[in-house]
Amino acid sequence: MCVVWAFNGFAQSFMWPPMVKIMSSAMDSDSYNKGCVVVSWGSTIATILIYLISPAIISFAGWKAVFFIYAGVAIVIASVWYVKITSIEKKCSIVYPMHVKSKGGKMSIKISVPLLIIVMLAIMLQGSLRDGVTTWVPTLVSEAFSLGSEVSILSSVIIPVFGLASLQMTSVIYKKLGKKPFKAAGLFFVCAIIAATVLTVFTDASVILTVMMSAIIVACMHGINLILVCFLPAALADDSNVSTLSGILNFMTYVGSAASTYGFALLSEKFGWGGTVISWLVITLLGTSACVICHTATRKKLKL
């Protein structure tokens, strides 16, 4: 499974950066932002459908059928993708960075390396919460309230539904704030702080409250991911390296995701779920601080 998943990640890493490149080259700023939102719907809707469809497939045809059916769907989508993208690339005369002679071999971005590192830290933090909370909430619900798998499945469906709603909300808020990426991301981190605080105080009080606050945290992280991984590269990089920067930032999301998958499990074993939820609050505080630093540093010079 690890080998198969490694190939899966390798393939996906070749999809997102070129997609950003295509959209940034073929669209104006507003259309690009809308395109990022619509593209982000795809994975979230797929997550919801998988949670709903997979149990039905398993009950009728066994667990192996899940892999065969989804593999068949992937082959169809890959074929459509290849034909359509090839056509779009030709029509828009899109040239990728690897086909352009490099000037000095360095990627030019509009912020300093120290600030870029802070941005990457913020993205890693949101990745740890986005995927970590999504992964472990069903276990938290099951262990904290001694409930069966039905509630765990329900919580698994509710969380991506909130994530889908947050994508559209993020686009609206981003525009209302004057397209200030760090300010918008910081606002979402603050909302996550409130939800994490409520969750910390009332961890064992109500299963509905626990699921709702967890869903809000994940929804906020989806919004931050859209802002910092999709919108921000177009503002910081020129057309020749926007895909490279987006790929680097997207990579940090999965660094955080990998760390949280094992880190939250270790925390729950040593400090219980109460201690784990406190760590979620600490992460939201750190993420907010990172966004405040970046916003303050770029507000006057870059007007971000």
Side-chain angles (χ1 to χ4, degrees):
M1 189 64 186
C2 287
V3 173
V4 172
W5 202 246
F7 277 106
N8 177 56
F10 190 66
Q12 288 194 47
S13 70
F14 275 100
M15 182 169 68
W16 176 248
M19 191 182 299
V20 171
K21 170 67 177 178
I22 290 167
M23 290 191 295
S24 65
S25 299
M27 302 175 179
D28 58 33
S29 178
D30 288 337
S31 298
Y32 170 80
N33 291 342
K34 290 178 182 178
C36 287
V37 173
V38 173
V39 168
S40 298
W41 287 352
S43 60
T44 308
I45 292 172
T47 301
I48 297 170
L49 291 176
I50 284 170
Y51 279 131
L52 294 174
I53 295 172
S54 295
I57 295 174
I58 292 170
S59 63
F60 285 105
W63 66 268
K64 290 183 180 180
V66 172
F67 290 89
F68 286 112
I69 290 173
Y70 290 155
V73 172
I75 291 172
V76 173
I77 296 300
S79 301
V80 174
W81 165 267
Y82 180 80
V83 173
K84 290 293 184 181
I85 288 299
T86 302
S87 174
I88 292 171
E89 288 171 334
K90 290 179 179 178
K91 286 181 181 179
C92 298
S93 301
I94 295 170
V95 180
Y96 294 96
M98 67 189 72
H99 298 147
V100 179
K101 291 184 179 179
S102 176
K103 298 180 180 179
K106 294 183 179 180
M107 183 177 67
S108 174
I109 56 175
K110 298 176 184 177
I111 62 173
S112 63
V113 173
L115 272 181
L116 180 60
I117 291 173
I118 295 174
V119 173
M120 293 169 71
L121 174 63
I123 293 171
M124 185 180 74
L125 292 170
Q126 72 80 22
S128 68
L129 282 180
R130 189 194 71 175
D131 294 343
V133 174
T134 301
T135 299
W136 289 110
V137 161
T139 306
L140 165 60
V141 169
S142 178
E143 294 182 358
F145 300 98
S146 300
L147 298 174
S149 59
E150 292 84 359
V151 176
S152 297
I153 294 173
L154 178 62
S155 67
S156 299
V157 173
I158 289 175
I159 287 175
V161 168
F162 269 62
L164 183 62
S166 77
L167 293 174
Q168 193 62 40
M169 190 187 306
T170 300
S171 180
V172 174
I173 292 174
Y174 184 68
K175 286 183 179 179
K176 292 289 185 182
L177 294 177
K179 297 183 179 180
K180 307 288 186 183
F182 298 122
K183 187 176 182 179
L187 177 62
F188 277 100
F189 265 123
V190 169
C191 292
I193 288 174
I194 297 171
T197 301
V198 172
L199 194 56
T200 300
V201 177
F202 301 103
T203 303
D204 301 323
S206 166
V207 62
I208 295 176
L209 184 65
T210 297
V211 172
M212 290 295 289
M213 291 303 104
S214 300
I216 290 173
I217 292 172
V218 174
C220 289
M221 296 307 111
H222 276 287
I224 294 166
N225 186 78
L226 180 65
I227 293 165
L228 297 184
V229 175
C230 302
F231 296 165
L232 184 62
L236 292 182
D238 58 39
D239 189 54
S240 65
N241 54 40
V242 62
S243 59
T244 304
L245 180 59
S246 181
I248 292 171
L249 297 180
N250 193 41
F251 166 76
M252 295 307 299
T253 297
Y254 295 100
V255 172
S257 175
S260 67
T261 300
Y262 295 99
F264 291 161
L266 292 175
L267 284 172
S268 66
E269 289 179 2
K270 290 190 176 183
F271 303 104
W273 284 110
T276 305
V277 171
I278 290 174
S279 75
W280 298 352
L281 176 58
V282 172
I283 290 172
T284 59
L285 290 168
L286 291 173
T288 303
S289 300
C291 289
V292 169
I293 292 171
C294 292
H295 177 66
T296 303
T298 60
R299 181 177 53 188
K300 293 181 179 180
K301 186 177 179 180
L302 300 178
K303 297 182 180 181
L304 293 179

